[in-house]
Amino acid sequence: MKRIAICAPGKRIEREHADAVLDLAQSIGGLELRFHPQCFARHGHFAGDDATRLKALVECANDPSADALWFAAGGYGSNRVAADAVVALGPAAQHKTYLGFSDTGYLLAALFRHGIGRPAHGPMASCIAREGGEAAVRRALGFLGGSTDGLEGGIDDRPAAAFNLMTLAMLCGTDLMPDLTGHVVMVEEVSEHLYAVDRLFFHVTQHLGNVAGIRLGRISDVPENDRPFGASEEDIARHWCARTGIPYLGFADIGHDAGNKIVPFGLAAEALRA
Amino acid sequence: MKRIAICAPGKRIEREHADAVLDLAQSIGGLELRFHPQCFARHGHFAGDDATRLKALVECANDPSADALWFAAGGYGSNRVAADAVVALGPAAQHKTYLGFSDTGYLLAALFRHGIGRPAHGPMASCIAREGGEAAVRRALGFLGGSTDGLEGGIDDRPAAAFNLMTLAMLCGTDLMPDLTGHVVMVEEVSEHLYAVDRLFFHVTQHLGNVAGIRLGRISDVPENDRPFGASEEDIARHWCARTGIPYLGFADIGHDAGNKIVPFGLAAEALRA
């Protein structure tokens, strides 16, 4: 039996969605999911104020009886607690898998920077509410149970990392940013205009000079603009990679959708498959 | 007679708006406005492709018969040509005033970084289309003609700079970013959710550790979100300034509106008023 602590460092999860995830986990077996009460708290935009979210996050990560910490939802807000969290983590936090994406990329980044546990990009509990979301949650639960079936198919023998593009842009140059020298960095985005994607690529490619390359996840739900941008998301990725000398390595099977695959940070995928 | 070259490094300006600005300038007198034909070009999202915009920008800046370069419009795109532009500028570019804001902040930044001319934040020709836009354009034309009436009222004896918040965030850590040590930095934003403003403040305050302080311009046209953020834009500015030890210096009279005042970069305002 693997025991999975769950907290919500940004947005809350709805009770009905948590219940659906619990039902699904029970039908699969082998996992005990523990939704921290903070997952359902509410404070303006957030699942509780900064102190509440920080406390729950630290409790879950430092719980010696839990094997993993799964983030309930993204939204926005994990960057407000990440720096304080990592310095409060003890030995029990070292041996955990941490799974999330989107806004929780701030935490994955900070954990990776500080060498704490095994951060991985992948579906969160709240993904149950997406179209086809059951498959996404099954993939996450499988990974948390020890399966490698849900790993992103293009991960090779180079260290990897995956981020929402905006999250990565906001991380660059901050005290949460890990050293990604030699890493294959995958990025995905949702609900941003293509000109904003271009702007974000300008920013991140200026900061990622030492990476092994960039792979492009899905850029989904692009809003209609008053005029067409005139270039595709792959044109954009190729343009800024070429300008900065970063190898562009093609598409990645990640995105803000139910098909979002799992990317363990660093060389963890290789270790899992060995 | 002051001669003002005008180009559009991002979005095009409509002919009717340029004509309205020409009429206004003629009624005031003392200024000769020269809209470069590139201002009206169209290439997808942009006023001509990168090569076209770069060429016009360099021509205008290097024109020895022009006293100033006024940017026609913002939009998006000046970051795609700024690095190539600054290395192509000659002696005639040194003696010019450069006026714009929003997306053209990438150019103001790059010029300021390289010590070229006198960059200033202020209304552009396209502002004529705003509500009350005639006053904004009169302010810009007055400044280009030598008046100090339109200067932001809180500029003191410390060097200053002003940016759109997103533009500043995307500049941080790039090869366009000037050294703002000791500067009072003013920021404004438009059409961004408050959670996005919070995220941008997280990013820029991590990069601006040596500034004299931050002043908050108007955060306008904030879209309605599915839940209230729970803090005002000033709460946000105070929060991140406090976290990073940057003095928060109160409001600034800049924004994406007709009231947008002029902020010469560095100590130029002091020189103008002397």
Side-chain angles (χ1 to χ4, degrees), chain B residues 29-274:
Chain B
L31 292 173
E32 180 194 326
L33 303 191
R34 302 170 178 172
F35 280 92
H36 192 290
Q38 175 270 325
C39 290
F40 312 105
R42 193 192 299 267
H43 179 87
H45 195 269
F46 306 106
D49 62 15
D50 289 354
T52 302
R53 302 198 316 285
L54 174 63
K55 186 164 174 285
L57 171 60
V58 171
E59 276 174 17
C60 289
N62 282 342
D63 179 354
S65 76
D67 300 294
L69 174 44
W70 191 25
F71 299 123
Y76 171 69
S78 77
N79 63 321
R80 295 178 61 103
V81 299
D84 290 337
V86 287
V87 297
L89 299 187
Q94 297 288 344
H95 309 292
K96 283 190 177 62
T97 295
Y98 297 84
L99 182 64
F101 77 111
S102 191
D103 179 75
T104 65
Y106 296 107
L107 284 170
L108 302 179
L111 291 163
F112 195 48
R113 174 186 174 119
H114 291 272
I116 300 170
R118 298 177 299 278
H121 160 110
M124 295 177 286
S126 65
C127 293
I128 196 79
R130 293 186 187 281
E131 193 182 325
E134 188 181 311
V137 172
R138 278 185 188 275
R139 187 179 311 120
L141 294 175
F143 174 73
L144 292 169
S147 167
T148 59
D149 290 348
L151 296 186
E152 204 276 340
I155 298 173
D156 57 20
D157 58 355
R158 293 174 290 188
F163 293 98
N164 170 260
L165 181 58
M166 175 66 82
T167 304
L168 178 59
M170 294 296 104
L171 278 165
C172 287
T174 73
D175 58 15
L176 305 180
M177 181 73 177
D179 180 3
L180 295 177
T181 301
H183 286 61
V184 174
V185 179
M186 309 180 208
V187 295
E188 57 80 29
E189 192 49 272
V190 64
S191 302
E192 294 284 352
H193 288 102
L194 285 181
Y195 73 81
V197 171
D198 195 76
R199 191 163 63 184
L200 292 167
F201 259 97
F202 157 72
H203 187 66
V204 302
T205 53
Q206 286 259 331
H207 282 269
L208 296 180
N210 298 321
V211 301
I214 289 178
R215 291 177 57 203
L216 181 64
R218 288 178 287 281
I219 307 293
S220 57
D221 294 340
V222 175
E224 186 111 21
N225 203 2
D226 55 354
R227 54 200 191 280
F229 185 68
S232 72
E233 56 264 43
E234 194 175 29
D235 294 336
I236 291 169
R238 286 185 186 280
H239 172 83
W240 290 109
C241 283
R243 288 232 25 155
T244 50
I246 295 173
Y248 171 70
L249 303 175
F251 292 116
D253 190 11
I254 63 169
H256 261 73
D257 51 46
N260 187 29
K261 297 303 191 298
I262 293 166
V263 181
F265 280 37
L267 289 166
E270 207 169 40
L272 287 169
R273 289 181 298 204

Side-chain angles (χ1 to χ4, degrees), chain A residues 11 43-46 50 75-76 79-80 83-84 103 106 166 169-176 192 195-196 198-200 202-203 206-207 225-230 236 239-240 243, chain B residues 11 43-46 50 75-76 79-80 83-84 103 106 166 169-176 192 195-196 198-200 202-203 206-207 225-230 236 239-240 243:
Chain A
K11 183 180 178 175
H43 179 86
H45 195 269
F46 306 106
D50 289 353
Y76 171 69
N79 62 321
R80 295 177 62 102
D84 290 338
D103 180 74
Y106 296 108
M166 176 67 83
M170 294 296 104
L171 278 164
C172 286
T174 72
D175 59 14
L176 304 181
E192 293 283 353
Y195 73 82
D198 195 76
R199 192 163 62 185
L200 292 167
F202 157 72
H203 188 66
Q206 286 258 331
H207 281 269
N225 202 2
D226 56 354
R227 56 199 190 282
F229 184 67
I236 291 169
H239 173 83
W240 289 110
R243 288 230 26 155
Chain B
K11 184 180 178 176
H43 179 87
H45 195 269
F46 306 106
D50 289 354
Y76 171 69
N79 63 321
R80 295 178 61 103
D84 290 337
D103 179 75
Y106 296 107
M166 175 66 82
M170 294 296 104
L171 278 165
C172 287
T174 73
D175 58 15
L176 305 180
E192 294 284 352
Y195 73 81
D198 195 76
R199 191 163 63 184
L200 292 167
F202 157 72
H203 187 66
Q206 286 259 331
H207 282 269
N225 203 2
D226 55 354
R227 54 200 191 280
F229 185 68
I236 291 169
H239 172 83
W240 290 109
R243 288 232 25 155

